[in-house]
Amino acid sequence: MDKIVIEGGTPLSGQISISGAKNSALKLMVACLLSDEPLELTNMPNLRDTRFLGHLLENFGVEVTDGVGRLTLHAKTLSSTTAPYDLVRKMRASFNVLGPVLARAHKAKVSLPGGCAIGARPVDLHLNALKAMGANIELSEGYVIASAKGGLKGADITFPFISVGATEHAMLAAVLAKGETTLNNAAREPEIVDLANCLQAMGAKINGAGRSEITIEGVEKLGGAKFAVVPDRIEAGTYALAAATVGGAVRLVNVRSDHLGSLWPLIAQAGAKVTMDEDSVLVERHGTPIRPVDVETQAYPGFPTDLQAQFMAMMCLADGVSIIRENIFENRFMHCPELSRMGANITVSGREAIIRGVPKLKGAQVMATDLRASASLIAAGLAAEGTTEVGRVYHLDRGFEQIEVKLGNCGARIKRVKE
Ligand code: UD1
């Protein structure tokens, strides 16, 4: 298994181009199931998760044509309506094929995704939304068996709390339902807006994406489209935080700085300088100490849970005590013991972590525990004294395109070692 080896202590200096957003790309890919015409996605990141979803879609009879930064998906006919356990268990986002297949073929059988390292992550909101649209849903032997005789029907759905996945799933199903669907208490993430824009390019009628109330007027048929994936705000935030943690100056390009409105003031508060122009963001810290900043994760436009671990890596080196509260997932502090192996002083109590800053971290052998946690270990390793080895990097490869190349171009001493 590959590992990443880092020699820490060198400031970062250079430019990083941000890839298309993984979390958006995965839902856009699924949208191809709604039409018998091709969907061409550009600004596509090349990641383990996107390649994996490509295989899953092939299982449904989708013709997948891969190019550089481009992916064409053609679901001319659906040769299957079943997503087996082996394909769903490896990636939760693949569960989102249920709604579109059900909407198009009026039946679907999709394995339940199961929990994952960051928490139980149930799918009750997804299933309740489909039920409200008239789907008959049975759970049997780990599978969701869904049918909708005559097709799905528009419904008035109120989510009890905000879920990105359930909002996207309901939207993917409602575009082909008969009549109007209203989604109340919907998630407002940029990935929701991206999905709505793509579905609209395919002929869907959606209003209000990016707000808490979304209305969808079902149409009979969707067509093909060409659509560019939105830049990845989590990747951009990860590199911005790495620059602030390690020190130096990193310019991010192909970035939507407006999608990280909650992050920039916090980075500035922590002592780094953030300069924005029309299409780039420069993050710098030259020798000024890192100041402690308290943070809590929230649904968008609040501070993203997917940047919590990376923010914590920075706070490990702060000049004082900070508190980080995780409100979205119940078990998203697995990076804490790994950071502690590098000399960090962190106490976790329920949903809160108290971080007492230390003057320096020391290189160590650590283990990536989930996708975003891996990125926090890389940033900590770059800031630490000595050598850090990050194992289980397959987590990283799920969601960060060429991380060692992008950081290496900024002077980081980082390499991938095959074992
Ligand atoms: C998506 C992102 C993930 C991000 C998260 C929150 C993708 C592929 N993943 O995950 O990177 O961290 O949004 O921004 O886009 N929940 C339920 N029942 C449900 C659905 C969710 O209880 O039916 C709970 C979850 O366990 C979690 C919370 O709701 O505690 C929010 O989860 P959700 O917004 O749905 O996250 P995902 O869509 O899974």
Side-chain angles (χ1 to χ4, degrees), residues 85-215:
Y85 176 61
D86 259 2
L87 292 177
V88 179
R89 83 185 157 88
K90 290 192 189 140
M91 191 178 69
R92 275 186 59 84
S94 40
F95 184 69
N96 278 30
V97 299
L98 173 65
V101 172
L102 178 63
R104 180 158 160 197
H106 301 178
K107 62 173 186 171
K109 181 177 171 188
V110 175
S111 168
L112 282 164
C116 72
I118 62 174
R121 298 182 87 179
V123 287
D124 49 333
L125 269 56
H126 299 232
L127 297 181
N128 289 343
L130 295 175
K131 278 185 200 161
M133 285 184 239
N136 178 32
I137 294 197
E138 273 173 50
L139 302 182
S140 168
E141 294 170 4
Y143 278 82
V144 177
I145 301 167
S147 59
K149 254 198 184 152
L152 293 169
K153 295 180 190 71
D156 192 359
I157 296 164
T158 300
F159 295 110
F161 52 88
I162 294 172
S163 159
V164 177
T167 303
E168 290 165 337
H169 207 159
M171 217 157 70
L172 281 162
V175 285
L176 287 183
K178 278 195 196 82
E180 188 177 279
T181 297
T182 312
L183 306 178
N184 304 293
N185 201 23
R188 293 183 282 163
E189 269 68 3
E191 293 76 24
I192 306 276
V193 177
D194 213 36
L195 178 60
N197 287 342
C198 177
L199 290 168
Q200 275 170 311
M202 294 168 75
K205 292 187 180 156
I206 304 174
N207 240 308
R211 297 201 297 267
S212 299
E213 189 184 300
I214 303 177
T215 51

Side-chain angles (χ1 to χ4, degrees), residues 14-35:
Q15 180 166 306
I16 294 179
S17 178
I18 300 305
S19 301
K22 169 188 87 89
N23 283 357
S24 190
L26 294 173
K27 321 305 165 58
L28 298 174
M29 287 174 71
V30 166
C32 82
L33 292 165
L34 293 162
S35 169

